[in-house]
Amino acid sequence: MSDIVILSGSPAIPSRTDISLKHIQSLVENAGFTTAYFSITDFSADDLFQGKYNSEDISKLSERIQAARGVIIGSPVYKASYTGVLKALIDLLPEGALKGKPVLPIMIGGSNRHLLAIDYALKPLISILKGEPLQGIYFVDKEIDKQNPENPINDLHLIDRVQSQVQEFVEAIQLRN
């Protein structure tokens, strides 16, 4: 099983959310952790829309999350919140799916106007599943270079923020295990 489960709530392919999460995935792997990456696009629309919590794919995701040492959840901002399809997936997980796990929330929005979406939408969702949300990272779309997925962040201040949050995430995992 993987140490870290990464869950992308972006329905777009490719997306700045996926590019950001894959960049963070590489940083976590460089810190010595194994990862498993899931996108909401990996799950059938029927499972999500019909609430098939016992589908094979949903069960596998749930097992991977429960066995993980930490979780990273990312979503673009849609109407000042995470995507509805991410919520549909989260609704299919067991109530305590994130119990006692450090969770690094990531959100990407079109402007700074939705900066608080991470605090007022994603973190409460993580808490409902009994996860332990960290501060998290909010990106503005223009900060992510889609043309350079291997090195999508150019702003030095943002690079420092990302590295700081990844380090905090790694330390939170190490403290719990």
Side-chain angles (χ1 to χ4, degrees):
M1 286 296 166
S2 303
D3 294 319
I4 310 295
V5 169
I6 301 168
L7 183 57
S8 172
S10 178
I13 300 173
S15 72
R16 286 181 175 86
T17 299
D18 286 324
I19 290 169
S20 302
L21 288 172
K22 296 219 182 238
H23 176 68
I24 292 169
Q25 178 181 23
S26 71
L27 296 175
V28 169
E29 288 173 349
N30 287 341
F33 293 93
T34 59
T35 62
Y37 193 97
F38 296 91
S39 169
I40 52 107
T41 61
D42 297 334
F43 300 92
S44 81
D46 284 343
D47 288 352
L48 297 174
F49 295 135
Q50 295 178 17
K52 294 182 181 177
Y53 65 90
N54 58 353
S55 82
E56 186 177 330
D57 290 337
I58 300 297
S59 295
K60 284 180 185 176
L61 173 64
S62 180
E63 289 170 11
R64 297 292 289 269
I65 288 174
Q66 290 177 350
R69 296 171 66 191
V71 178
I72 300 170
I73 300 176
S75 177
V77 176
Y78 281 18
K79 306 294 186 212
S81 189
Y82 43 80
T83 61
V85 70
L86 175 62
K87 178 68 163 75
L89 178 60
I90 296 287
D91 283 346
L92 300 177
L93 297 176
E95 184 179 327
L98 301 175
K99 187 173 184 174
K101 295 183 190 320
V103 180
L104 180 60
I106 308 293
M107 291 193 87
I108 293 86
S111 73
N112 280 324
R113 290 182 300 163
H114 297 295
L115 176 65
L116 295 177
I118 200 166
D119 290 319
Y120 291 109
L122 191 52
K123 285 183 183 181
L125 180 65
I126 292 165
S127 295
I128 290 293
L129 294 173
K130 305 201 181 349
E132 299 174 10
L134 301 178
Q135 178 180 350
I137 307 165
Y138 179 87
F139 295 98
V140 175
D141 281 346
K142 66 181 179 186
E143 295 173 325
I144 307 301
D145 183 358
K146 279 180 97 170
Q147 306 308 314
N148 189 4
E150 298 300 317
N151 193 18
I153 303 168
N154 297 316
D155 180 84
L156 294 178
H157 177 69
L158 185 55
I159 289 170
D160 287 344
R161 271 192 14 225
V162 170
Q163 290 175 338
S164 174
Q165 282 297 294
V166 168
Q167 183 60 36
E168 185 178 321
F169 180 61
V170 165
E171 290 171 3
I173 291 170
Q174 291 170 338
L175 285 173
R176 285 164 182 78
N177 295 302

